[in-house]
Amino acid sequence: MNKHTLISLLALTLGLASATGLSPVPGSGRPDAFARAGDRLPLRSLGLDTVTGAQIQIPGVPPRTLKMTVNAAGRTELTVPDLPPGRVTVTLTRAGQRITRELDVLPPTTGHPAFRSLTNPGLSFEREQVLPDQVQVLLNPALTGAALNRRLEALRRYGTITTETLRLPTTNARLAPPTGSPCGGTLAVIQLGRGQALEEVLNALLADTSGDIWYPDPISSTKTPAALAQVRPGPFQSAPLQQAVPGVRGNLPAPQTGSFYYQPNLTPSGPRPALGMPRRGLGGAGSTIAVLDTGFSPVLDLHGELPSSRVMTPLNALQPAGAGTFTGTGDFWEGHGTQVAILAAGGQSGVAPQATALPVKVCGPDLDGRAVCTTRSVLRGVCLALDSVPANRLVLNLSLGGSVPTNAIHAALNWAEQQGVVVVAAGGNQGLNGHPPEYPAAFARPGVGSQRQLNLLAVASVRPGGPAGWTYSGFSTRGNYLNVSAPGEALDIGHPYLYSGTSFAAPLVAGAAALVQGAGLNRAPAAPQNALSTALSAQAASALQAVSVKAFMLSPARVRSMPGIEPTPDLSKY
């Protein structure tokens, strides 16, 4: 996926139980504090008032480079290192005692260059920026009526508020209280008032111990770096012009000669198998792949690979579920969501040609016609998919992302996994830009503190070549969170374009997950006897699904049944 054209407003100790008995999702704990890289963070924000004689440590940061100062009020402050956005632990050791706190690092303020290219010295671009004047807050789903109104009134001290209620998944309610779903909760967005500083508001919300506030998060944005034009065949351009394609049902945007992710296919000759046609009863029947993307348009399915019998009614998550309509699900921006759905479940070009597709539109066009995905729409999309398909038959494909993680997104995907859903995410297309981690795929990295490592499948892109038969695509991000790969370069499905990007590698893995589900290879453990064992059983089933899909993707026996196809390498240990 051309992630550089997306604006992804993506941005945890377990919270205290509220009076209602609900608590945040286990394994999706909140941080102790938020701070930007380069900020001087008062250690008091981490609950540490006295640090005299203490040694401070942050993984990956040489202790001698950590700067501690005392401000005018006599408080000790830590200068936050220039770390990538995400969760880190801060450990203070004094007199043999260790105190550990969790810090969510935000990107620096506008103007800070970061993530300098490892392969092109001197190339840099500005990090994804956190919006300085907006905060989103996911509230306890049990808050209703007068209690909810009181909490919202209290939040208005920070600015003006807009609210919505996320769809409660009634299809998937395997986990009983005290563990609650983040879906069904009220999501409030605060437009900060004058004099309200972002980090101070976030940390004030974290200090609330009532249990009403589950996940406060910043909102972030990223834009296409102009510098990319220096190292790629040409800058990406959306194609407003349409061209007729002889012999197909509909039009496609005119190919852009300089496009990196959408290269012209000079001889489109009809759909071609991506990973082979169904063999030995493996076709994905009974499994549904929810494609959270730019929408779906049958006219862009040029060869009719996804008939209406295998496409659930598309959903539009760009507006709150309570807005009363799910219309406006049509695709745009060169049909990104439609292509992803075809690669996952197309009848001829897809990996799971008997699976059902559920298109969920979570990205809309900005003023330039490029895709914009918001935190709210992704949360809505996850909840809508969970409400539409039984968990043990659902695969979520997320060919989107950004460099700033959002705790509420982690919680929603974590809860979905605990229900037995398989989550697949594109690993990122920033191989030429220093390999910054991309979320939500990077939630598959080793867990930090109270934020567990998710079982999702984080996908890198490979192409034929190299001693092992496959090698990384030059654009593909590399990192310790990537755990599976698939072809993602110049994929030919008989369209006027060849498609490249981890966005297009991800649906191949999602299709493999559907084959695993359809074949019953992801059998859950024995029926649990209580709520706790239910949670553990569901989580184990999710992990088993992820392992099964990796084994399936890498299985020589599976691959040998498809002439001309080689197994993709396992990138989990590089």
Side-chain angles (χ1 to χ4, degrees), residues 286-559:
S287 181
T288 296
I289 304 171
V291 179
L292 276 62
D293 215 289
T294 60
F296 179 79
S297 293
V299 295
L300 296 178
D301 178 7
L302 301 184
H303 302 284
E305 297 207 41
L306 283 168
S308 58
S309 61
R310 288 200 301 112
V311 179
M312 294 181 65
T313 302
L315 302 174
N316 187 348
L318 298 182
Q319 296 295 327
T325 177
F326 290 124
T327 60
T329 58
D331 205 349
F332 68 100
W333 191 58
E334 301 178 334
H336 187 277
T338 303
Q339 299 144 17
V340 168
I342 290 172
L343 286 167
Q348 292 176 289
S349 301
V351 179
Q354 295 172 346
T356 298
L358 170 59
V360 184
K361 188 170 185 175
V362 299
C363 307
D366 66 6
L367 294 179
D368 297 325
R370 299 181 181 184
V372 179
C373 309
T374 69
T375 297
R376 283 180 288 178
S377 64
V378 172
L379 280 170
R380 289 182 198 126
V382 171
C383 295
L384 287 171
L386 285 167
D387 191 43
S388 302
V389 181
N392 64 346
R393 291 295 178 182
L394 178 62
V395 178
L396 290 178
N397 186 89
L398 296 157
S399 289
L400 49 82
S403 66
V404 178
T406 298
N407 292 318
I409 294 287
H410 183 281
L413 296 180
N414 183 15
W415 190 83
E417 285 188 352
Q418 291 178 16
Q419 302 301 302
V421 176
V422 179
V423 181
V424 180
N429 299 328
Q430 302 212 46
L432 299 176
N433 296 289
H435 305 282
E438 294 286 342
Y439 296 89
F443 284 134
R445 81 213 186 297
V448 178
S450 60
Q451 190 177 68
R452 68 178 286 261
Q453 179 178 11
L454 296 188
N455 293 319
L456 64 81
L457 295 160
V459 187
S461 171
V462 291
R463 58 182 175 82
W470 295 89
T471 187
Y472 283 113
S473 299
F475 57 78
S476 186
T477 302
R478 306 185 192 186
N480 66 353
Y481 60 91
L482 296 167
N483 50 40
V484 69
S485 65
E489 191 163 343
L491 299 182
D492 185 355
I493 59 174
H495 286 195
Y497 291 111
L498 300 174
Y499 302 120
S500 297
T502 58
S503 273
F504 303 117
L508 303 186
V509 176
L515 297 183
V516 169
Q517 283 187 340
L521 301 179
N522 57 328
R523 294 184 182 90
Q529 301 301 316
N530 53 56
L532 177 59
S533 62
T534 301
L536 295 176
S537 175
Q539 201 159 308
S542 174
L544 179 61
Q545 289 174 332
V547 171
S548 298
V549 174
K550 292 178 191 176
F552 181 88
M553 293 287 288
L554 303 172
S555 167
R558 162 66 178 165
V559 172

Side-chain angles (χ1 to χ4, degrees), residues 31 35 64 119 252 263 340 418 564:
R64 65 180 182 276
T119 56
L252 273 186
Q263 302 170 25
V340 168
Q418 291 178 16

Side-chain angles (χ1 to χ4, degrees), residues 155-366:
L155 292 179
R156 288 189 177 91
R157 76 183 70 172
Y158 303 115
T160 58
I161 295 179
T162 57
T163 65
E164 65 177 275
T165 301
L166 297 176
R167 177 68 69 89
L168 177 65
T170 55
T171 301
N172 296 291
R174 185 186 301 176
L175 298 185
T179 301
S181 167
C183 299
T186 296
L187 185 66
V189 174
I190 307 174
Q191 179 71 43
L192 299 181
R194 181 176 299 180
Q196 298 285 355
L198 176 70
E199 295 96 319
E200 291 180 2
V201 171
L202 286 169
N203 290 331
L205 295 172
L206 286 175
D208 186 294
T209 59
S210 67
D212 293 344
I213 296 175
W214 271 22
Y215 299 106
D217 279 300
I219 296 176
S220 59
S221 66
T222 184
K223 295 183 179 180
T224 305
L228 292 180
Q230 302 170 9
V231 295
R232 291 185 174 163
F236 176 85
Q237 297 176 353
S238 292
L241 301 177
Q242 303 286 316
Q243 70 166 11
V245 182
V248 300
R249 305 180 304 115
N251 298 333
L252 273 186
Q256 300 295 302
T257 302
S259 173
F260 179 75
Y261 294 93
Y262 295 82
Q263 302 170 25
N265 184 357
L266 301 180
T267 57
S269 57
R272 303 174 182 178
L275 284 182
M277 300 297 288
R279 299 287 182 90
R280 303 177 183 177
L282 295 178
S287 181
T288 296
I289 304 171
V291 179
L292 276 62
D293 215 289
T294 60
F296 179 79
S297 293
V299 295
L300 296 178
D301 178 7
L302 301 184
H303 302 284
E305 297 207 41
L306 283 168
S308 58
S309 61
R310 288 200 301 112
V311 179
M312 294 181 65
T313 302
L315 302 174
N316 187 348
L318 298 182
Q319 296 295 327
T325 177
F326 290 124
T327 60
T329 58
D331 205 349
F332 68 100
W333 191 58
E334 301 178 334
H336 187 277
T338 303
Q339 299 144 17
V340 168
I342 290 172
L343 286 167
Q348 292 176 289
S349 301
V351 179
Q354 295 172 346
T356 298
L358 170 59
V360 184
K361 188 170 185 175
V362 299
C363 307
D366 66 6

